[in-house]
Amino acid sequence: MADTKREIERKYEATPTDTDSEPRPPDFTKVAGVASVQDRGVVHLDAVYYDTAALALAAHGITLRRRTGGEDAGWHLKLPVAPNVRDEIHAPLTDTDDVPRTLSALVRARTLGEPLLATVRLRSARHVWHLRDAAGELLAEAGLDTVTAQRLDGGDARTSFTEIEIELADGGDPAFLDAVDKKLRKAGVRPSASPSKLARALAETGGGPEPRAVRDDDSAGGRVLAYLRDQIEAMAVHDPAVRRDLPDSVHQLRVATRRLRSAFKTYRTVLDRTVTDPLGDELKWLAAELGVDRDQEVLADRLLARLTALPRPLLLGPVRGRLRIWSVARRSGSRRRTLAVLDSRRYLELLRSLDAFLAAPPLRPAAGRDAAAVLHKALVKDHARLADRTEHALALPPGPERDLALHEARKAAKRLRYAAESARPALGKPANKLRRRVKEVQSVLGDHQDSVVARAELRNLAVQAHAAGEPSFVWGLLYGQEEARAADRERELPEAWRRVPGV
């Protein structure tokens, strides 16, 4: 069983005060807010770090270690959140040196299934001080770490260094670390040049991961690839978040897959579609699988909000209980399905294919042309597609056929919005304005489609209630509200579409 804490810390170089003395920490009692400094003594730590042979985790600032000694002995996985902020996920020590499956799954999107090997061993003597306020509450833990590093993945290179680490107490105010930083800098203590002990150890014992060469220029290919890299990176970031069931994580992962697939379609003059079409098919599969979980989450929130807004006298029968049972049952099944997808061989092969795509992008001749011209032409085509679908839908009478046509227009709006988003660096303000206006159209169409889905589920809930001998009045009432909301969105669409600028 793994547990998580948010780690917020700063690291500094620990240098001797003169050529003959040992490094020592500064006087923390001079930091604003610190009333006392409690010496906690020295603890000896022994940590073995794991990574792939190519150091895929280190390349993304991720550390995975098995550590003994200290109060938190065990397996630790640290995932970057922001500068100086990481989520630290703990798992108990095991009888073997095999990485626990709960942790190896969280880095699968980075390792791409490659085995995790022992790469570096760090032995540290840590002198610990607790910085407390006037009430005796812990503000931060300061540590003076004397470290010896040994390379384990080939050769026996070693290095030693000393650093100061200041870790904010759980629930502490990050501004306190700014106060500490100010005093340390005044005392001549410099921030560490390395983001972690592991990064420094790798650099000083033979080098870290090899950076991948990327095309980074103002050509059409350079602009498109930069956008695609961002989306593939987003997939890798949100993968462990989905596994940890973090809020909105499924949605964000699904958005990244949709942006990728949309870009593959929009920029067929830049990218060879014999490569991108199969990738697009797999991304479509992934988005659909993720949609089982995400769509259930959205629908449950929508129905609960509708139910909560009803006056109490209208809540006839055990409606809240029925909705709760329905939601839990659907959510439980969709959650299991999502995790099974992320653990599947098919998903792993998709991640590997995307990695190979970035390593050798299948560029067409248009990739070398001026980005503004090529990307503008792609926008024109996507704009025309949305215009055709919107006008076709508006010409149909209300009913299922129109609902389907509006859903197709919604997908075209999403594609144009993503295209405008990707073209913004090259086309500037016009692309950004187009993105904003198309997003408004997409929002209208999205709410309409959500209403279509909600009505179908409300009918099912009414049937279930009736079969159980419960009143079905509330479900019919909500059905009528959704029907009225969909009609409102249809009336809003022509004006929202009129505001979309031409390209």
Side-chain angles (χ1 to χ4, degrees):
M1 191 70 174
D3 58 89
T4 305
K5 64 170 288 188
R6 178 62 55 88
E7 179 186 79
I8 304 176
E9 64 182 16
R10 308 276 180 94
K11 296 179 182 293
Y12 299 87
E13 302 287 348
T15 55
T17 54
D18 58 64
T19 56
D20 298 321
S21 65
E22 293 295 323
R24 63 176 182 235
D27 184 1
F28 291 112
T29 60
K30 295 182 179 181
V31 177
V34 176
S36 65
V37 178
Q38 181 182 18
D39 190 331
R40 303 288 292 180
V42 177
V43 61
H44 294 276
L45 308 173
D46 190 346
V48 174
Y49 288 77
Y50 289 76
D51 207 332
T52 66
L55 302 177
L57 301 187
H60 295 94
I62 298 170
T63 60
L64 174 61
R65 71 188 179 201
R66 184 184 189 276
R67 188 166 80 180
T68 56
E71 297 178 353
D72 64 344
W75 288 91
H76 303 159
L77 171 63
K78 297 187 180 185
L79 300 172
V81 175
N84 301 314
V85 181
R86 295 186 290 183
D87 275 349
E88 184 173 320
I89 303 162
H90 292 191
L93 286 174
T94 53
D95 294 335
T96 70
D97 293 340
D98 295 333
V99 178
R101 291 182 63 183
T102 53
L103 301 186
S104 62
L106 291 174
V107 295
R108 194 172 185 235
R110 298 299 190 184
T111 65
L112 303 180
E114 292 299 309
L116 288 163
L117 314 168
T119 55
V120 174
R121 184 178 189 181
L122 296 185
R123 296 176 180 176
S124 305
R126 170 173 292 179
H127 197 153
V128 179
W129 294 267
H130 282 180
L131 314 184
R132 299 185 180 275
D133 62 16
E137 294 296 322
L138 183 64
L139 297 170
E141 180 177 284
L144 179 63
D145 294 325
T146 302
V147 182
T148 299
Q150 176 188 3
R151 201 67 177 256
L152 302 176
D153 57 347
D156 189 35
R158 298 169 185 256
T159 188
S160 298
F161 55 87
T162 307
E163 72 172 22
I164 297 171
E165 181 177 295
I166 315 294
E167 182 175 345
L168 191 68
D170 292 346
D173 183 358
F176 175 71
L177 293 184
D178 294 333
V180 174
D181 183 79
K182 183 177 180 180
K183 288 298 182 182
L184 291 180
R185 288 176 185 265
K186 279 188 176 181
V189 179
R190 304 186 311 274
S192 175
S194 297
S196 67
K197 293 181 182 65
L198 175 63
R200 180 168 182 173
L202 289 172
E204 295 181 6
T205 58
E210 290 292 330
R212 170 177 283 174
V214 298
R215 179 166 183 165
D216 187 17
D217 55 43
D218 291 333
S219 67
R223 294 291 191 183
V224 170
L225 288 175
Y227 180 77
L228 295 175
R229 279 197 306 272
D230 287 345
Q231 307 319 313
I232 294 173
E233 173 64 15
M235 287 181 64
V237 168
H238 294 301
D239 174 293
V242 171
R243 295 175 187 273
R244 295 165 61 198
D245 204 17
L246 297 185
D248 203 40
S249 56
V250 173
H251 173 60
Q252 294 301 328
L253 178 55
R254 195 181 186 194
V255 166
T257 65
R258 284 175 163 174
R259 283 175 169 151
L260 270 174
R261 182 167 172 255
S262 180
F264 286 155
K265 289 183 176 181
T266 294
Y267 299 117
R268 284 172 172 167
T269 61
V270 175
L271 302 167
D272 184 351
R273 64 180 298 180
T274 63
V275 175
T276 59
D277 279 0
L279 287 174
D281 290 341
E282 291 303 284
L283 289 166
K284 181 180 180 180
W285 159 78
L286 177 59
E289 293 290 344
L290 294 173
V292 174
D293 195 18
R294 171 60 181 171
D295 291 346
Q296 172 60 23
E297 179 184 355
V298 170
L299 179 57
D301 289 346
R302 186 183 184 97
L303 296 184
L304 180 60
R306 292 279 184 271
L307 198 61
T308 302
L310 289 179
R312 185 176 294 274
L314 297 181
L315 298 178
L316 305 180
V319 289
R320 290 186 181 277
R322 176 156 296 281
L323 183 61
R324 188 180 306 113
I325 292 170
W326 167 86
S327 180
V328 170
R330 294 278 296 267
R331 169 68 173 157
S332 176
S334 63
R335 171 73 180 157
R336 288 194 299 270
R337 180 169 176 174
T338 295
L339 293 178
V341 167
L342 296 189
D343 288 335
S344 69
R345 183 73 183 180
R346 184 173 181 178
Y347 174 64
L348 181 59
E349 287 302 324
L350 171 58
L351 294 178
R352 287 172 172 168
S353 296
L354 291 172
D355 186 67
F357 168 86
L358 289 181
L363 299 175
R364 299 185 64 195
R369 297 173 190 161
D370 176 67
V374 174
L375 271 58
H376 177 263
K377 187 175 181 179
L379 282 184
V380 169
K381 291 181 67 175
D382 283 352
H383 187 281
R385 178 180 292 101
L386 175 57
D388 289 344
R389 292 189 181 183
T390 302
E391 290 162 8
H392 169 67
L394 291 174
L396 295 172
E401 188 178 352
R402 190 183 208 191
D403 290 343
L404 181 59
L406 289 170
H407 183 46
E408 292 300 314
R410 178 196 183 192
K411 291 190 284 187
K414 189 174 294 185
R415 177 168 163 180
L416 178 57
R417 173 192 163 196
Y418 291 156
E421 176 183 88
S422 64
R424 188 165 39 177
L427 301 180
K429 290 183 179 180
N432 192 44
K433 181 179 180 181
L434 177 63
R435 179 194 62 81
R436 287 189 288 107
R437 295 302 190 193
V438 173
K439 186 178 180 180
E440 293 172 6
V441 171
Q442 181 188 335
S443 179
V444 170
L445 292 168
D447 193 39
H448 181 276
Q449 176 62 17
D450 288 347
S451 178
V452 171
V453 174
R455 276 179 277 159
E457 206 56 49
L458 284 166
R459 185 182 184 281
N460 290 335
L461 283 165
V463 170
Q464 293 169 18
H466 179 75
E470 302 166 4
S472 57
F473 168 78
V474 171
W475 310 118
L477 180 59
L478 295 184
Y479 187 101
Q481 289 182 350
E482 288 290 358
E483 201 168 40
R485 188 176 183 92
D488 288 343
R489 299 293 85 80
E490 290 182 26
R491 283 190 292 270
E492 293 171 8
L493 179 58
E495 177 58 23
W497 170 239
R498 187 190 64 78
R499 290 196 297 267
V500 174
V503 291

